[in-house]
Amino acid sequence: MIEANAVVPTLKRLTDFVAGGAVALRGRAVLEPAGGPGDKVFPPTHLIDKNARDAGAKYAAERRVIEGAVQDCVLLDSVQSQANRMEEALQALWADKRISLPVIAVDFSKVAADVGRVTSLTAPHRVADALLRDSLLNGTLFRLSDLGKSFTDATPRNAAPLFRVCPTGLVFGVWDSTGPKGGLGSKFARALVSEIVGVGAVYGTKTSSRIDPAGIVNKAAEVLQAADPNDGWTHDPALAAKDSKGTALKKGDGKATEVNHSNFPPTLDALGGGVTIDHAQHTVVISLAALRKLSFGTHDTDARTVLAALGVLAILAAEDRGHDLRSRCLLVPREGHALALSAVKRDGSTEPLSLDLNGAIELYNESVRALPEDLRFKTGPGEPLATLSPSPKLAHLVQKSRELAAAGVDLEEP
Amino acid sequence: MLCIEVELLAGRYTATAYNDRTRAEWPPHPARFFSALVASLHDHEPVDDQERAALLWLETQSPPSMVVDTTTVNEQLGRREVRDVFVPVNDIGVAAAVEPKLRAAEAAIQSACAAIAGERHAPVTKAQATQLNKLNKELEKAQNQLAKLQLSLKDTSSASAVELAAARAILPEHRTRQVRTFPAVFPSATCFRYVWSEDPTATDRAALDRLCDRVTRLGHSSSLVRCIIVDEETVPNLVPDPDGELVLRTVGPGQLARLEREYERHQSVSSRVLPARPQRYGRVAARDERPTYPHTVFADDWIVFERIDHVRHAQRGQKLQSSRPLSSRGTDLARALRLALLEAHGGRDLPTSLSGHARDGTPAEIPHIAFAALPHVNYEHADGSVKGVAIILPRSLSSVDRDTLFGLIAEWERTRSVDSEQTVMELGGASLSPFFVRRTEYPALRALNPTTWCKPSTRFITATPIALDRYPGNLRSNFAGTAHRASREAQQSIAAACVRIGLPAPLSVEISSSALLPGSQAAHDFMPARKPGQHVRVRVHASIWFAEPVRGPVILGAGRYLGLGLCLPVRT
């Protein structure tokens, strides 16, 4: 809940915090299922032992003591997943031309239209990702181009090269473990941690079933593999693929359900059947002390302030998009308990802050404008710092592998 | 007094227990905190002398006490279930193989060009002309190589299965994933403190304060922390305690140098083990004085070997699997361990405290080292399987004999290890399937933790049956009188056995032929411990009560030096 004495932070105040006035910025929110308390939500599932029998076994649960009472809790969105969502939110703001941010993009639209554009914000390992490494910038492999070489030697003491190319890497962490220096490549720990945990978890059962709108009965016909691969399946033995003895080959077990017709009787899944929660706690922390470990050669505080503002912006941008975590898991802030930020001082005392998304955008843009010449972002809002293209070999291989996948050919594990 | 407070900013602490990678560590070990301070020290190069001196002071201090929440984090509470998380890999790609070659070609071109540029003047002598020719050829070769490699990136003719799979796996949705786990705990009280009793000098204190200011995380990078020296009086609730159940890693003199040396090797990238000293910690007792309980002639710092289920043989290269014997085969394992050490000794005169025999070959009168197989008993799913073996030392063992024993163990490890790291040994024998062990200082399993067997209690129950010193009579006689008398004899025999190992006479003893602890086996399952020509000793389980708590290890009866009569202290 935003406290009565919460102050809207100015750039000056944020700079003071970053310079040493605060250890961290922390935000807390109380969320509830969009359907109201007591509605079922679906947490992320994990692989479990096949002998597991407990209700909710696929979820990551914990029993915590909260305000003196033992509560069953369940993880609703992990630190890594939250980081991905925040980066996506930043990318949306950038694509909307509301903020300027160095972004490196790889355009896959000609090769794989559904993949589209992959950027240093959405690639799994950010600017150090294999996808960027395999792509070309003006005909040269990215990491061999001037831009790609510029941040190879970045370290916390020499963070400027990475700041100019991928500042989100300094906030969310990045490890260039497969770059030119292998395991000794640039390694930056995350400075931002965000997590959503459901409280008061009671596990439920999920049912899956289907009623065929055409009323096809399962035994209506025997489903056979078609001789012509374009057809997929047939019921006519004359048109079916045959084995060496001349008998028609069944598709799967030969029932109509094999090709998605007929009814599917309900299955009950208690291992991953969703959970009802009383509420969810969203906790987010930006460690300003971690940002203070970064040196840029000059104007350290200005660069660190940009990173702090970027972190705050990421949090509020993700908040603004709503917590639509996955299918049947939409969370909304409880009345009066939207995300409230505060600055945590060295002695543990806190100073409440009041900031909304527009305020965060303004704060960030102001901090970016205050950057010195050699750290300034070279591109405007919505403009990528560089657009890479997949190498012809990669493009060819991606297309070919998709053709094969569509034809049902199984590809080896790499 | 120096008191440092640490707050878990996000309310979570993610750090893996040192002896069990599937569990989270709690409370945060002092050694880990020291490492965090050392990391902060190296934020600046060159390192600040005062900060360095302060850490050198800190490492000489005795292990700190702690104020930490120990009630809301235990086996059932405060721990997130550890689930496999699939993290996308980055070591995948189509151009990955070509990239280093391209880089090498470019570097070759650059050096060739530089060399040519160095030959500023036109060649005068033949030698200089040849040299220039050679450099030009090298340049041409490198340029050709570069062109060829660059062409390979455009090569769309071939598509091997491996390349296709790599191309598919590089796209974000299909990216290959690797399993990782992130064990985390969530204490209700997110602040904890380390308390050292000595006062630092003003300079050291100021330096430590600067270091604390730069500690950003403890454990995994998601455990962001706030760290500060506090001035107020602090009453610890967890203190170093030789009887304590918790073992936390602490540091000693030389730790800073050790960590810095290790860093040269691992660069924060390779796997490494935190050098540390184990220290037992216990919750502060309610009473002022800790009472001293009567103890046995055996000590509670055992040498423990844990069972290793799978090991790769160093020479043969095959993967070997350990057997999982039940506790009834424990005496065979104990004997095998004893023989292994005797063999390592090589037959020269062993002191009585180690061999168990006097000079003339008669059984020793003084307490000597005992060998015990440690079974998993007394828990809900205990199966009585042997989790490892231990060498239990007598309290009276001299330091010379102790050194001899360690020498024997080292020799055994050196000559008889089966794996490439020379840590895993095989306990074998005529009637024994291979059983692989490795010495461990920090056993993860309860069955292997000496505290499990040694903690003070008023009641002890046998995990392995006691072999009675003298024949009590027919315990299973149909005649009530005979059986009853035999039973009394057995009880008295056991009471005498308690006294023989230094305990006060017990209040009462109950005997049974069937197992009394979940997981342990009936008395008759255990092979008799006898020499040829001797009568078979009667084996019984027993439940023994003492008037006041006594401290273990309690091993009773004729087979005590081979692990029979091992009693578990149970809660009353």
Side-chain angles (χ1 to χ4, degrees):
Chain A
M1 188 172 64
I2 299 193
E3 296 183 35
N5 53 342
V7 171
V8 178
T10 57
L11 182 61
K12 169 90 182 39
R13 193 81 189 104
L14 183 64
T15 312
D16 287 339
F17 287 148
V18 169
V23 166
L25 298 175
R26 178 165 57 200
R28 287 195 175 118
V30 176
L31 309 172
E32 51 188 37
D39 192 20
K40 208 195 257 195
V41 293
F42 282 79
T45 55
H46 302 82
L47 267 192
I48 49 171
D49 190 83
K50 60 181 189 286
N51 295 324
R53 292 276 175 272
D54 302 326
K58 288 187 184 166
Y59 306 133
E62 64 230 24
R63 302 198 81 209
R64 288 202 220 179
V65 175
I66 298 177
E67 285 164 17
V70 175
Q71 301 262 28
D72 282 313
C73 302
V74 65
L75 176 67
L76 289 177
D77 212 24
S78 68
V79 169
Q80 289 83 356
S81 177
Q82 280 281 290
N84 291 342
R85 289 184 212 282
M86 286 189 272
E87 284 180 291
E88 275 172 26
L90 283 177
Q91 175 154 311
L93 283 178
W94 168 79
D96 268 349
K97 301 196 191 324
R98 296 184 73 186
I99 56 167
S100 71
L101 188 64
V103 173
I104 298 177
V106 184
D107 195 358
F108 264 87
S109 45
K110 293 189 191 68
V111 175
D114 55 322
V115 175
R117 189 168 66 167
V118 176
T119 68
S120 48
L121 290 170
T122 53
H125 287 259
R126 306 190 173 104
V127 76
D129 196 71
L131 213 69
L132 273 63
R133 222 174 55 232
D134 256 16
S135 301
L136 305 177
L137 178 59
N138 298 329
T140 324
L141 268 186
F142 174 51
R143 295 308 296 270
L144 290 160
S145 65
D146 285 335
L147 184 63
K149 282 194 229 175
S150 69
F151 61 90
T152 301
D153 292 325
T155 62
R157 275 183 230 120
N158 174 29
L162 193 59
F163 183 85
R164 292 187 197 105
V165 165
C166 183
T168 45
L170 296 172
V171 173
F172 294 101
V174 69
W175 184 15
D176 193 14
S177 63
T178 48
K181 287 159 76 169
L184 298 176
S186 321
K187 196 174 187 190
F188 294 87
R190 54 168 60 83
L192 201 166
V193 167
S194 174
E195 193 178 51
I196 302 181
V197 175
V199 179
V202 176
Y203 298 103
T205 312
K206 180 175 73 173
T207 60
S208 319
S209 60
R210 176 180 186 266
I211 298 287
D212 190 324
I216 296 175
V217 182
N218 211 3
K219 293 207 177 110
E222 197 166 34
V223 171
L224 308 162
Q225 282 182 28
D228 180 355
N230 286 331
D231 278 346
W233 66 277
T234 175
H235 67 278
D236 187 349
L239 297 171
K242 308 249 188 331
D243 67 4
S244 49
K245 293 197 196 115
T247 32
L249 287 167
K250 282 198 278 194
K251 194 168 175 78
D253 59 2
K255 296 196 190 140
T257 44
E258 201 60 42
V259 288
N260 288 332
H261 287 301
S262 186
N263 301 333
F264 287 72
T267 50
L268 298 174
D269 177 8
L271 300 175
V275 63
T276 41
I277 53 170
D278 179 67
H279 65 272
Q281 281 182 354
H282 178 199
T283 311
V284 60
V285 177
I286 304 177
S287 169
L288 299 179
L291 295 180
R292 286 195 280 272
K293 280 191 194 281
L294 303 171
S295 297
F296 300 85
T298 164
H299 295 90
D300 283 341
T301 307
D302 290 329
R304 293 167 188 161
T305 307
V306 166
L307 294 176
L310 184 59
V312 171
L313 179 59
I315 296 167
L316 290 170
E319 170 91 356
D320 187 68
R321 291 177 116 200
H323 299 288
D324 190 5
L325 302 180
R326 60 194 69 82
S327 172
R328 295 165 77 178
C329 192
L330 174 60
L331 301 173
V332 296
R334 179 170 281 180
E335 189 73 40
H337 286 87
L339 189 75
L341 288 169
S342 54
V344 180
K345 311 285 180 61
R346 256 209 101 186
D347 59 1
S349 63
T350 57
E351 186 182 306
L353 305 171
S354 167
L355 194 62
D356 62 3
L357 178 59
N358 287 327
I361 294 174
E362 190 39 55
L363 192 61
Y364 172 73
N365 286 336
E366 212 189 320
S367 69
V368 166
R369 283 194 294 270
L371 281 172
E373 183 63 48
D374 61 334
L375 290 176
R376 207 158 281 170
F377 297 154
K378 294 195 173 42
T379 49
E383 223 183 285
L385 182 62
T387 303
L388 312 178
S389 50
S391 68
K393 188 173 177 95
L394 179 63
H396 162 73
L397 287 171
V398 168
Q399 275 171 332
K400 187 116 179 75
S401 74
R402 286 174 158 227
E403 280 167 28
L404 288 173
V409 175
D410 203 9
L411 293 174
E412 282 173 25
E413 284 298 308
Chain B
M1 185 193 70
L2 171 69
C3 178
I4 298 182
E5 174 171 89
V6 179
E7 178 188 352
L8 301 168
L9 289 170
R12 56 179 284 154
Y13 178 62
T14 304
T16 315
Y18 59 90
N19 53 6
D20 186 352
R21 296 206 68 78
T22 61
R23 273 168 64 84
E25 165 185 284
W26 186 262
H29 291 197
R32 201 187 273 276
F33 179 68
F34 188 84
S35 291
L37 289 174
V38 174
S40 297
L41 175 71
H42 284 274
D43 273 349
H44 302 143
E45 291 292 355
V47 156
D48 182 277
D49 286 329
Q50 284 180 348
E51 291 174 0
R52 190 150 221 282
L55 285 185
L56 287 172
W57 172 83
L58 192 62
E59 73 183 18
T60 60
Q61 301 307 300
S62 43
S65 307
M66 291 180 71
V67 179
V68 63
D69 181 346
T70 51
T71 51
T72 65
V73 178
N74 53 38
E75 293 309 306
Q76 294 83 32
L77 291 177
R79 290 180 183 274
R80 174 165 298 161
E81 286 167 349
V82 177
R83 294 272 180 259
D84 286 342
V85 175
F86 287 84
V87 177
V89 302
N90 207 24
D91 57 353
I92 209 158
V94 169
V98 175
E99 201 181 307
K101 290 184 199 157
L102 269 172
R103 205 170 293 119
E106 281 192 355
I109 291 177
Q110 265 189 338
S111 65
C113 284
I116 290 175
E119 308 277 329
R120 279 189 303 265
H121 312 290
V124 171
T125 67
K126 190 158 177 232
Q128 285 178 328
T130 333
Q131 175 72 337
L132 189 62
N133 254 350
K134 183 165 150 221
L135 286 173
N136 275 322
K137 275 213 172 56
E138 272 175 28
L139 177 63
E140 202 182 310
K141 180 170 154 203
Q143 281 169 334
N144 282 343
Q145 172 79 325
L146 185 70
K148 191 167 117 194
L149 289 169
Q150 282 175 334
L151 214 58
S152 75
L153 287 174
K154 299 188 172 63
D155 173 20
T156 56
S157 56
S158 70
S160 75
V162 171
E163 285 177 329
L164 283 170
R168 182 175 149 80
I170 204 177
L171 297 175
E173 320 79 72
H174 299 296
R175 181 70 61 97
T176 312
R177 283 160 194 274
Q178 206 171 49
V179 172
R180 279 201 60 186
T181 54
F182 302 97
V185 295
F186 301 87
S188 186
T190 53
C191 289
F192 58 92
R193 293 181 178 186
Y194 297 104
V195 185
W196 289 266
S197 48
E198 291 294 311
D199 281 314
T201 62
T203 334
D204 282 343
R205 193 184 188 288
L208 283 171
D209 194 49
R210 291 198 297 275
L211 286 169
C212 284
D213 198 24
R214 306 203 300 263
V215 171
T216 53
R217 63 174 176 95
L218 195 58
H220 187 254
S221 61
S222 61
S223 312
L224 295 175
V225 298
R226 170 185 70 84
C227 183
I228 189 174
I229 298 181
V230 293
D231 272 324
E232 49 202 51
E233 268 301 312
T234 307
V235 178
N237 70 336
L238 194 71
V239 296
D241 178 357
D243 288 330
E245 281 205 344
L246 285 174
V247 177
L248 304 185
R249 293 169 296 169
T250 60
V251 305
Q255 181 79 352
L256 176 56
R258 207 171 294 127
L259 286 174
E260 287 172 333
R261 227 179 14 247
E262 278 291 295
Y263 185 81
E264 294 297 313
R265 181 186 61 80
H266 64 70
Q267 297 286 323
S268 200
V269 169
S270 331
S271 69
R272 62 256 187 208
V273 173
L274 173 58
R277 297 178 175 200
Q279 171 66 51
R280 292 248 173 91
Y281 276 76
R283 289 176 188 76
V284 171
R287 291 163 286 178
D288 292 347
E289 272 287 325
R290 270 212 93 90
T292 48
Y293 298 121
H295 53 74
T296 68
V297 297
F298 298 104
D300 60 3
D301 57 342
W302 298 357
I303 303 170
V304 181
F305 297 84
E306 60 181 351
R307 182 184 85 209
I308 298 295
D309 284 329
H310 300 282
V311 67
R312 189 168 287 280
H313 198 279
Q315 274 91 47
R316 283 181 262 155
Q318 39 175 180
K319 211 155 173 222
L320 304 165
Q321 193 169 346
S322 181
S323 61
R324 293 173 173 217
L326 295 178
S327 58
S328 50
R329 305 303 306 279
T331 45
D332 291 332
L333 291 168
R335 243 188 279 270
L337 179 58
R338 181 171 176 274
L339 281 174
L341 292 182
L342 285 179
E343 187 193 36
H345 178 62
R348 294 181 300 277
D349 269 327
L350 259 188
T352 310
S353 58
L354 299 182
S355 69
H357 293 285
R359 281 287 164 89
D360 55 7
T362 57
E365 295 292 327
I366 59 168
H368 48 95
I369 56 176
F371 300 87
L374 302 176
H376 178 43
V377 293
N378 203 32
Y379 292 98
E380 194 186 332
H381 299 293
D383 55 359
S385 62
V386 174
K387 296 297 189 187
V389 288
I391 304 177
I392 303 173
L393 311 178
R395 281 179 190 260
S396 56
L397 192 68
S398 68
S399 52
V400 172
D401 290 345
R402 189 191 205 91
D403 285 342
T404 312
L405 176 61
F406 280 120
L408 292 181
I409 295 171
E411 180 66 17
W412 181 43
E413 284 177 351
R414 199 178 61 82
T415 52
R416 285 297 191 194
S417 51
V418 296
D419 70 328
S420 44
E421 278 123 52
Q422 297 203 306
T423 54
V424 178
M425 284 77 65
E426 178 178 342
L427 281 182
S431 59
L432 212 53
S433 313
F435 186 84
F436 296 102
V437 294
R438 176 172 59 209
R439 191 162 49 88
T440 170
E441 279 182 28
Y442 312 108
L445 301 172
R446 266 188 280 245
L448 298 178
N449 189 346
T451 313
T452 309
W453 303 95
C454 299
K455 57 181 187 254
S457 175
T458 49
R459 184 175 179 202
F460 284 76
I461 302 183
T462 50
T464 58
I466 302 171
L468 297 175
D469 288 304
R470 50 177 200 270
Y471 181 64
N474 188 352
L475 286 165
R476 287 187 227 167
S477 166
N478 282 329
F479 298 110
T482 317
H484 180 66
R485 265 195 304 277
S487 179
R488 292 285 308 276
E489 268 300 315
Q491 288 166 2
Q492 282 168 359
S493 175
I494 292 173
C498 290
V499 174
R500 190 169 310 120
I501 63 164
L503 293 174
L507 209 50
S508 72
V509 177
E510 270 179 18
I511 62 167
S512 160
S513 62
S514 51
L516 295 171
L517 288 176
S520 64
Q521 296 166 269
H524 54 77
D525 284 338
F526 288 74
M527 299 291 282
R530 66 163 165 182
K531 295 192 172 56
Q534 267 189 358
H535 285 296
V536 175
R537 291 194 199 271
V538 174
R539 293 139 282 141
V540 292
H541 279 295
S543 172
I544 308 169
W545 275 267
F546 294 91
E548 44 158 2
V550 303
R551 191 193 298 277
V554 175
I555 30 178
L556 301 169
R560 64 189 178 282
Y561 289 104
L562 288 175
L564 283 180
L566 178 64
C567 300
L568 184 74
V570 296
R571 220 170 276 196
T572 40

